[in-house]
Amino acid sequence: MPAKDGTLSSDHGDYFVRFDQPVDHLHSTIDIVQDGKTVQTLHPRLKTEPNVLFARAPNLRPGKYVMHWSVPAANGSTVYQGDVSFSVVAGRP
């Protein structure tokens, strides 16, 4: 969440990625990027499902963004990264 190329309302602040194995929540990050610049770095909640990276962020202004996540596997063997582009509109879409 958000879905790839999805649209969120400006009053929404939940972000999550679900994986097929446990991840290292403590060393994971979610960056919200706009025009190539990080506008927010989110730190995932530690109390969540072992395979879900979840964070809350202050509301974003309308515009186009990319959610970039970086997640070490729980066993430390691999760091997974990915990007999800999305848009924010004023109010509810």
Side-chain angles (χ1 to χ4, degrees):
M1 173 72 171
K4 182 177 182 188
D5 298 323
T7 301
L8 300 177
S9 68
S10 59
D11 58 356
H12 185 347
D14 292 348
Y15 300 88
F16 69 88
V17 182
R18 185 175 305 275
F19 299 89
D20 62 358
Q21 61 183 321
V23 295
D24 179 350
H25 294 88
L26 184 63
H27 297 102
S28 299
T29 59
I30 298 174
D31 292 321
I32 305 299
V33 179
Q34 185 177 44
D35 297 326
K37 297 179 183 174
T38 299
V39 294
Q40 292 184 29
T41 296
L42 312 178
H43 299 283
R45 292 187 175 194
L46 300 178
K47 293 185 179 183
T48 187
E49 295 178 41
N51 64 330
V52 174
L53 197 62
F54 176 85
R56 282 212 164 110
N59 301 337
L60 297 172
R61 293 194 282 163
K64 294 188 181 282
Y65 295 89
V66 173
M67 177 181 74
H68 174 79
W69 47 267
S70 178
V71 181
N75 65 9
S77 63
T78 307
V79 175
Y80 301 97
Q81 296 187 48
D83 294 310
V84 177
S85 56
F86 67 100
S87 296
V88 173
V89 296
R92 299 196 181 269

